[in-house]
Amino acid sequence: MVKATDVLYYAVHFQELRSIIQWTTWHDPVHTRDPEKEDRSLQICFDFLDKTSRSFSSVIQELHPELLVPIALFYLILRGLDTIEDDMTIDLKEKDPLLRNFYKVVEQEGWNYDGNGPNEKDRQLLVHFQNVTEEFRKVKPEYREIIKDITHQMGDGMADYCANAEHNTNTVDTVADYDLYCHYVAGLVGNGLTRLFVESGLANPALLERQQLQESMGLFLQKTNIIRDIKEDFDDNRRFYPKEIWSKHVEKFEDLFDPKHKEAALNCSSEMVLNSIHHADQCLYYLAGLKEQSVFNFAAIPQCMAIATLELVFRNPNIFKKNVKITKGEACRIMMQSTQNLRLVCEVFKDYTRRIHRKNTPKDPNFLRISIACGKIEQFIESLFPSQDPKKIIGAQAAEAANQPASPAGTEAEIRAAKEAKQDTFYMFLTVFATIIIISLLMFFVAYLFGARFDLAIDEIRQGNIFRPSKGEANSVTNKPAHGEL
């Protein structure tokens, strides 16, 4: 049911409404899942995928058939592991062996777990986890070994973190501790996905040698979520902001939520953003190594959402009051751009990076460092896709050298005759012209709503591409790769 507040919001934010219409009307998945060909246990797994992930479910279900089930199960296994780690009602003596041995039970027939607290949101996934283990045993052995290895490492890391949290109120003391935690819960995911991509033949094997790129893909998402979810985590008695950062700005962690310390809290959050944004250019570098379009979409959409979320939370006092999220309209616009090619993904990053730079203030102790970080991202994008077209520069220089004046529009007699004809017919055709203009504007308006790209047409006209290209030229364009590779 449509809410009245939504109607009012989109009446004011018309561009976002347009993006929603475009995405729902024109989005064509690269691959489509067919539930009718699936066993009942696999259908249940995808039902839990929909329930446990609002953002990842749709992109996972559009993956290449070779990776669809392995990555869906990989997500559910890690979600189950995370559900145990997050549950503060489970005693550490029970939680520790559960986390460390979770990689073993994922292949155990009939295994499930009902020890989570009644309020744990993903409790039912573990209660019916036997469906996941049943389908996991059907996956190719090469994929199973990768998933089990990542689950093993992540389980050990989570167990170590929980043991530390039991005796340390701050949970995360240093930036190094923060990076290590993010490595276990997200960086390892980047490593596991990369190994799956390469094993399936859908990514450049050179990515396996770029450990830092794999790590950054996970850390950029995790750190952005931690910054955004500070109020929710605080209410649940969890702290992920490292003391090394927040202690520079306030005496006690609780002071971040006190309006009296608003400026200090904003400076603290901006330093957290600075810590996260350092991974942005490496994420773009990683995306260049993905060969298949659905895999590219799967990796690119979350990264674009992350940079948009980072801009939303940057110097935003609302993050200390409630959980903030980008709007559905903005999310649809981002997904349209990030499911095409690397150039458009870079445009998304450039846009939001510039917004962060504009919001940056000299009052912030990290003003200069944030400006440099934003400039570094733009510089990297410029190295991939130079904004200056060499052909245009040469053409402009040649025209300037020729310095030929424009030919006159017509003779004086022709101008006088045209003026007389205009006076004779003006009143006769005024109504006709007005009617044509109104109808044309309505047609352009409808086309605009459904995603017509008039800017592309204008660019083509400016470049002199008025007539239809020859067959050879058309084939040369359509045969170009969708996005770059390493």
Side-chain angles (χ1 to χ4, degrees):
M1 183 178 178
V2 180
K3 298 179 181 178
T5 52
D6 290 340
V7 174
L8 292 174
Y9 178 84
Y10 289 115
V12 178
H13 301 82
F14 184 73
Q15 285 285 354
E16 294 190 21
L17 176 61
R18 179 187 183 230
S19 297
I20 295 173
I21 294 173
Q22 285 179 277
W23 178 256
T24 54
T25 305
W26 299 116
H27 175 60
D28 186 20
V30 182
H31 304 285
T32 304
R33 168 182 162 244
D34 188 0
E36 294 182 0
K37 296 181 180 178
E38 298 170 352
D39 294 337
R40 179 56 187 157
S41 56
L42 184 56
Q43 292 176 354
I44 292 173
C45 289
F46 279 109
D47 288 342
F48 276 114
L49 185 66
D50 289 332
K51 293 175 183 177
T52 56
S53 173
R54 182 176 66 93
S55 55
F56 281 104
S57 178
S58 59
V59 291
I60 289 176
Q61 294 187 56
E62 293 180 9
L63 274 169
H64 190 284
E66 177 68 17
L67 288 176
L68 171 62
V69 174
I71 288 184
L73 296 177
F74 188 26
Y75 179 88
L76 291 175
I77 288 170
L78 298 187
R79 173 61 70 178
L81 187 68
D82 188 59
T83 300
I84 293 173
E85 188 238 353
D86 281 347
D87 194 340
M88 306 302 290
T89 67
I90 302 176
D91 187 82
L92 182 62
K93 292 181 180 179
E94 180 183 2
K95 182 182 290 189
D96 188 277
L98 273 173
L99 294 174
R100 296 189 189 278
N101 296 316
F102 199 78
Y103 75 100
K104 299 178 181 178
V105 302
V106 295
E107 288 185 308
Q108 184 176 321
E109 184 176 357
W111 187 89
N112 56 36
Y113 179 73
D114 64 354
N116 284 106
N119 297 323
E120 191 63 34
K121 61 180 181 178
D122 294 327
R123 183 181 190 278
Q124 289 302 312
L125 170 63
L126 288 169
V127 172
H128 300 281
F129 204 75
Q130 68 274 8
N131 295 289
V132 177
T133 63
E134 180 179 343
E135 290 301 321
F136 185 68
R137 291 194 300 275
K138 302 175 185 177
V139 172
K140 288 182 179 180
E142 297 85 359
Y143 296 153
R144 287 206 308 269
E145 288 306 311
I146 293 172
I147 294 172
K148 285 173 60 181
D149 179 47
I150 297 301
T151 306
H152 188 187
Q153 294 182 62
M154 188 178 291
D156 283 344
M158 287 180 170
D160 292 342
Y161 169 80
C162 290
N164 178 59
E166 186 83 358
H167 306 96
N168 186 353
T169 306
N170 294 314
T171 307
V172 180
D173 281 316
T174 66
V175 172
D177 294 337
Y178 178 57
D179 285 338
L180 183 62
Y181 171 76
C182 291
H183 161 75
Y184 280 123
V185 300
L188 286 173
V189 179
N191 174 256
L193 288 173
T194 303
R195 290 162 65 183
L196 290 172
F197 294 158
V198 174
E199 181 66 34
S200 65
L202 301 177
N204 193 327
L207 287 176
L208 291 176
E209 303 169 7
R210 304 294 184 102
Q211 187 73 30
Q212 188 60 38
L213 300 185
Q214 304 169 28
E215 189 85 1
S216 288
M217 287 290 285
L219 264 60
F220 188 55
L221 300 182
Q222 183 66 23
K223 289 182 176 183
T224 299
N225 289 339
I226 286 174
I227 298 168
R228 181 196 63 193
D229 296 339
I230 181 172
K231 183 64 169 65
E232 181 181 331
D233 289 333
F234 180 69
D235 291 341
D236 291 339
N237 198 31
R238 295 193 296 262
R239 301 181 182 184
F240 296 108
Y241 278 41
K243 184 179 180 182
E244 183 180 338
I245 289 179
W246 65 256
S247 62
K248 297 177 186 177
H249 307 279
V250 291
E251 291 186 7
K252 298 182 295 181
F253 187 75
E254 294 79 2
D255 291 341
L256 293 173
F257 306 90
D258 189 337
K260 293 187 298 183
H261 302 283
K262 176 182 175 180
E263 194 62 30
L266 291 176
N267 291 339
C268 175
S269 67
S270 70
E271 187 167 351
M272 292 292 290
V273 169
L274 174 64
N275 179 275
S276 176
I277 206 171
H278 282 309
H279 301 286
D281 58 333
Q282 295 178 348
C283 294
L284 294 174
Y285 195 5
Y286 179 95
L287 293 174
L290 301 179
K291 298 178 180 180
E292 203 269 337
Q293 187 65 47
S294 70
V295 174
F296 178 82
N297 296 350
F298 170 76
I301 289 176
Q303 302 301 327
C304 289
M305 294 293 184
I307 191 67
T309 301
L310 212 58
E311 185 274 330
L312 176 64
V313 301
F314 182 65
R315 299 201 65 81
N316 184 351
N318 287 329
I319 65 172
F320 300 103
K321 303 174 185 177
K322 60 182 180 181
N323 187 259
V324 298
K325 294 180 180 179
I326 57 178
T327 62
K328 183 178 180 181
E330 188 170 7
C332 287
R333 181 183 66 81
I334 292 169
M335 288 190 291
M336 282 190 298
Q337 286 187 266
S338 56
T339 53
Q340 296 186 53
N341 53 54
L342 183 60
R343 178 185 288 273
L344 289 180
V345 169
C346 286
E347 289 299 319
V348 173
F349 270 70
K350 184 188 294 185
D351 177 31
Y352 285 103
T353 299
R354 287 178 175 178
R355 295 189 195 187
I356 292 173
H357 188 265
R358 286 196 295 269
K359 290 168 69 175
N360 198 16
T361 172
K363 296 180 181 179
D364 193 321
N366 290 291
F367 169 75
L368 185 58
R369 294 172 64 198
I370 293 171
S371 298
I372 292 173
C374 291
K376 181 183 175 184
I377 296 172
E378 284 214 47
Q379 185 179 27
F380 178 77
I381 293 172
E382 184 69 19
S383 69
L384 292 178
F385 303 105
S387 56
Q388 295 292 338
D389 188 343
K391 293 182 179 180
K392 290 183 179 179
I393 295 174
I394 294 171
Q397 291 173 344
E400 185 178 349
N403 196 23
Q404 296 179 351
S407 60
T411 64
E412 186 177 346
E414 290 173 340
I415 295 173
R416 185 168 58 252
K419 184 177 181 181
E420 291 174 356
K422 181 178 179 181
Q423 290 173 346
D424 290 339
T425 59
F426 177 76
Y427 293 106
M428 184 190 304
F429 289 100
L430 180 61
T431 304
V432 177
F433 287 156
T435 303
I436 292 174
I437 289 172
I438 292 172
I439 293 174
S440 299
L441 288 175
L442 286 173
M443 292 176 66
F444 277 118
F445 179 70
V446 173
Y448 175 78
L449 280 180
F450 281 88
R453 295 295 303 275
F454 299 114
D455 56 326
L456 297 180
I458 293 171
D459 287 343
E460 289 296 314
I461 293 172
R462 287 175 177 171
Q463 295 173 17
N465 301 327
I466 300 175
F467 303 103
R468 179 183 297 180
S470 65
K471 186 176 181 181
E473 291 175 338
N475 289 336
S476 68
V477 173
T478 56
N479 290 332
K480 287 182 180 180
H483 49 78
E485 285 192 40
L486 289 175

